[in-house]
Amino acid sequence: MSTQVHGRGLSGPRRSRPRVARLTAVVGAATLTLSAGLATPLNPAPQQASAADSKSVLTVAVAQSVDSLSPFLAQRLVSTSIHRLMYEYLTNYDPKDNHAVPGLATKWEPSPDKLTWTYTIRSDSKWSDGQQATAQDAAWTFNTMMTDDGAATTNGSFVSNFRKVTAPSPTRLVIELKKPQATMTALDVPIVPKHVWEKVDDFSKFNNDKSFPVVGNGPFVLTGYKPDSYVRLKPNKTFWRGAPKFDELVFRYYKDQDAAVAALRKGEVSFVAGSPSLTPAQAASLKNEKNIRVNDAPGRRFYALATNPGAKAKNGRKFGDGDPSLLDERVRHALFMAVDRETIIDKVFQGHAVEGEGYIPPRFSQYFWKPSASQELAYDPAKAAQLLDQAGYKKNGSGERLGKDGKPITYRVLCHATDPNDKAVGQYLEEWWGKLGIGVTLDCLDNVTDPWLAGTYDLAFDGWSVNPDPDFVLSIHTCAALPATPKDTGATDNFICDKRYDDLYARQLAEYDPAKRATVVKQMESRLYDLGYMNVMAYPNAVEAYRTDQIKSIRTMPSAAGNIYGQDGYWSWWSAVPAASDGSSDDSGSTGALIGGVVAVVVLVGAGVFFVLRRRSTADDRE
């Protein structure tokens, strides 16, 4: 889901037994260059360009299609990643250690009671149509989210505690809060131009995909889009931090990940992100290829099994058809105790992941949580069978586990058709749960969004990208994230609604002390773990590859050992230097190399979305 990732999307997580056998690890800068003779949907029969008229194009193959180009609606990682390139946020994350750095805001200051935050908006940021970006744009963005349910679809959780937002001057933004809010330097909300967006009639339906170029103030300007095919961007020559160096950036969608890898070998694309990562076999096959580098680093995602807790809306209406046996916590725990996570790491991810436990990956050490020995749902098929017996789900003479209706239990598991990990793990589930007497039907679909939103599933493969500040990915399991009615779309991941969890969520959001807040966040993870609706199986590595004869250098995040695709910011594509470049760049400390006026093209590669796609609130997750 998102995320990311949301978006989901959306970073991924972690596990206790870190059996991570790395591929060729790329830490720091890597080189990528694209030639004008590249075959793309925009240039199907390119001619070999001469050095004089060559155009540097950075093409990124992705396995996700765009769900929306509206930052108010987008949930998928590819979409939220593109929005980070198009629009500035108030603050950004430093690529070295994730601390807050200036974005549209140059500085921020809370009142003594921390209920009023004043942001100084930079005077050197312009929209791509030439108009000045001001505090009024930011105030309008937040006020619209506060007053319009459609505009709050994706990021509404960030403004639910806002009392009032004003712009006393073009460079001064003031946000008044109802109560303290710890995310005020991590508001992952794209700021949009008021003079463009105030013309929108229905934010719940406007996808921002009909008129180009799209007005923005980020490092790139979106110039073209074809659904399920490509997104095309060019450098914003007036970007305050400096323009990107590639002449064009294209995200190109590949439904078949093997086809994307083949395109990388041929030089038809510059970079392959995978779905969301390359498989071990694909990465291994690329390891010794000339002019190709594999980046294998700890990821910001988690990979999980989500259980349908009984889909419901805020108005109390229940919907969907999840198996009623899954409402019993003992059944949910039994299913997870019959999942051999070590086998998943060794056989499916082949060491390029760590076993999953808590909800936040070990990459974010401040919030990483592990269950106690007495709490851990360790692999124990015998105990799993006992729990099912105790819950009243016993086997018949044929060894089939029967439901309360006397019929054999068979769970429907939503699976992403283009994600080989889902299919591989699904086969193991058929074996492991089969020994418990439970049947499994894998529903591997190109579009898992519709059944997910309708609640017509029993379990589903899920995954989200986690941001340095975990608030968003925690918010999608609150009661407030449920849809207003069964006909509406909420920000919820899988309809979890638990009062104890909600109380903890409110506490962490209001806690400014980092250590105390981290303690509460870990309590939330513990509660999620005990509920058993969200069972984290693995924290996959970010395994990706690019051509060094097209990309001369590119920044990872974190700088020491991080990912390139799906970052918490725009650092990778903004910093990328074409291989044909003279190499001149100005590395301005923590912000990375300033790149001079070229654009990168990223190619979208697959329809298989790692996290379930839905038009809800998944920030980066979203990312």
Side-chain angles (χ1 to χ4, degrees), residues 1-11 64-89 153-155 158 188-190 222 231 233 251 300-301 464-467 472 565-570 573 604 611 613-623:
M1 325 235 27
S2 173
T3 252
Q4 321 144 2
V5 280
H6 247 344
R8 329 213 82 331
L10 227 246
S11 3
Q64 239 182 358
S65 59
V66 169
D67 54 340
S68 177
L69 287 175
S70 165
F72 296 111
L73 300 177
Q75 305 253 349
R76 299 180 184 175
L77 178 60
V78 64
S79 308
T80 56
S81 295
I82 290 169
H83 288 140
R84 283 191 175 275
L85 304 177
M86 296 168 59
Y87 304 104
E88 275 278 47
Y89 296 22
T153 298
T154 293
N155 293 311
F158 287 112
D188 291 323
V189 176
L222 195 152
V231 174
L233 304 102
F251 289 91
R300 52 185 285 251
R301 294 184 56 81
W464 284 83
S465 293
V466 179
N467 297 333
F472 176 81
Y565 176 72
Q567 293 182 357
D568 302 294
Y570 43 65
W573 314 124
L604 302 176
F611 31 83
L613 314 173
R614 42 201 174 296
R615 305 182 71 189
R616 287 192 295 265
S617 145
T618 36
D620 247 354
D621 122 33
R622 251 184 116 175
E623 256 144 70

Side-chain angles (χ1 to χ4, degrees), residues 209-325:
D209 59 359
K210 297 295 187 293
S211 179
F212 303 100
V214 175
V215 177
N217 65 338
F220 293 92
V221 177
L222 195 152
T223 58
Y225 166 66
K226 182 177 181 181
D228 298 327
S229 183
Y230 64 82
V231 174
R232 182 180 182 182
L233 304 102
K234 69 177 182 180
N236 179 358
K237 301 295 181 66
T238 64
F239 183 53
W240 68 270
R241 201 185 288 273
K245 285 208 179 252
F246 271 91
D247 295 313
E248 191 169 35
L249 173 63
V250 176
F251 289 91
R252 185 174 181 180
Y253 172 72
Y254 284 84
K255 185 174 181 178
D256 185 327
Q257 187 162 299
D258 285 333
V261 171
L264 182 74
R265 281 197 176 91
K266 297 174 184 176
E268 295 173 352
V269 301
S270 315
F271 179 96
V272 172
S275 173
S277 295
L278 298 178
T279 66
Q282 289 168 339
S285 72
L286 293 172
K287 185 175 180 180
N288 296 315
E289 288 274 339
K290 183 180 179 182
N291 298 324
I292 290 179
R293 182 169 296 171
V294 175
N295 182 46
D296 184 2
R300 52 185 285 251
R301 294 184 56 81
F302 63 77
Y303 181 61
L305 269 175
T307 304
N308 187 340
K312 59 185 175 184
K314 289 179 186 176
N315 65 3
R317 289 279 305 278
K318 296 182 179 180
F319 58 98
D321 59 0
D323 194 295
S325 65

Side-chain angles (χ1 to χ4, degrees), residues 204-470:
S204 67
K205 296 180 180 178
F206 181 70
N207 281 311
N208 197 29
D209 59 359
K210 297 295 187 293
S211 179
F212 303 100
V214 175
V215 177
N217 65 338
F220 293 92
V221 177
L222 195 152
T223 58
Y225 166 66
K226 182 177 181 181
D228 298 327
S229 183
Y230 64 82
V231 174
R232 182 180 182 182
L233 304 102
K234 69 177 182 180
N236 179 358
K237 301 295 181 66
T238 64
F239 183 53
W240 68 270
R241 201 185 288 273
K245 285 208 179 252
F246 271 91
D247 295 313
E248 191 169 35
L249 173 63
V250 176
F251 289 91
R252 185 174 181 180
Y253 172 72
Y254 284 84
K255 185 174 181 178
D256 185 327
Q257 187 162 299
D258 285 333
V261 171
L264 182 74
R265 281 197 176 91
K266 297 174 184 176
E268 295 173 352
V269 301
S270 315
F271 179 96
V272 172
S275 173
S277 295
L278 298 178
T279 66
Q282 289 168 339
S285 72
L286 293 172
K287 185 175 180 180
N288 296 315
E289 288 274 339
K290 183 180 179 182
N291 298 324
I292 290 179
R293 182 169 296 171
V294 175
N295 182 46
D296 184 2
R300 52 185 285 251
R301 294 184 56 81
F302 63 77
Y303 181 61
L305 269 175
T307 304
N308 187 340
K312 59 185 175 184
K314 289 179 186 176
N315 65 3
R317 289 279 305 278
K318 296 182 179 180
F319 58 98
D321 59 0
D323 194 295
S325 65
L326 295 171
L327 300 180
D328 192 317
E329 186 177 284
R330 293 169 294 183
V331 174
R332 299 193 298 271
H333 284 182
L335 293 177
F336 196 42
M337 293 176 74
V339 172
D340 186 350
R341 285 164 284 173
E342 184 173 345
T343 292
I344 290 174
I345 301 304
D346 290 345
K347 302 299 184 183
V348 177
F349 291 99
Q350 296 181 27
H352 303 288
V354 292
E355 289 182 48
E357 292 175 322
Y359 194 63
I360 297 176
R363 169 162 157 177
F364 304 105
S365 58
Q366 182 180 7
Y367 300 109
F368 177 57
W369 170 87
K370 297 173 65 172
S372 64
S374 61
Q375 182 183 20
E376 184 179 8
L377 299 173
Y379 180 57
D380 191 338
K383 188 172 181 180
Q386 284 181 340
L387 283 175
L388 291 172
D389 288 339
Q390 292 170 11
Y393 298 96
K394 306 204 179 228
K395 289 183 177 180
N396 61 14
S398 301
E400 298 170 311
R401 192 77 58 174
L402 302 180
K404 296 297 174 68
D405 59 2
K407 298 179 180 179
I409 297 175
T410 297
Y411 291 133
R412 300 158 300 164
V413 180
L414 271 180
C415 161
H416 302 90
T418 57
D419 191 336
N421 293 329
D422 283 7
K423 295 176 182 178
V425 175
Q427 291 177 352
Y428 278 114
L429 294 181
E430 291 175 344
E431 174 188 343
W432 294 330
W433 292 353
K435 292 177 181 178
L436 294 175
I438 292 175
V440 172
T441 299
L442 286 178
D443 293 333
C444 293
L445 309 173
D446 287 339
N447 173 22
V448 297
T449 304
D450 292 343
W452 195 298
L453 290 175
T456 53
Y457 66 96
D458 297 322
L459 297 106
F461 289 103
D462 194 7
W464 284 83
S465 293
V466 179
N467 297 333
D469 188 293

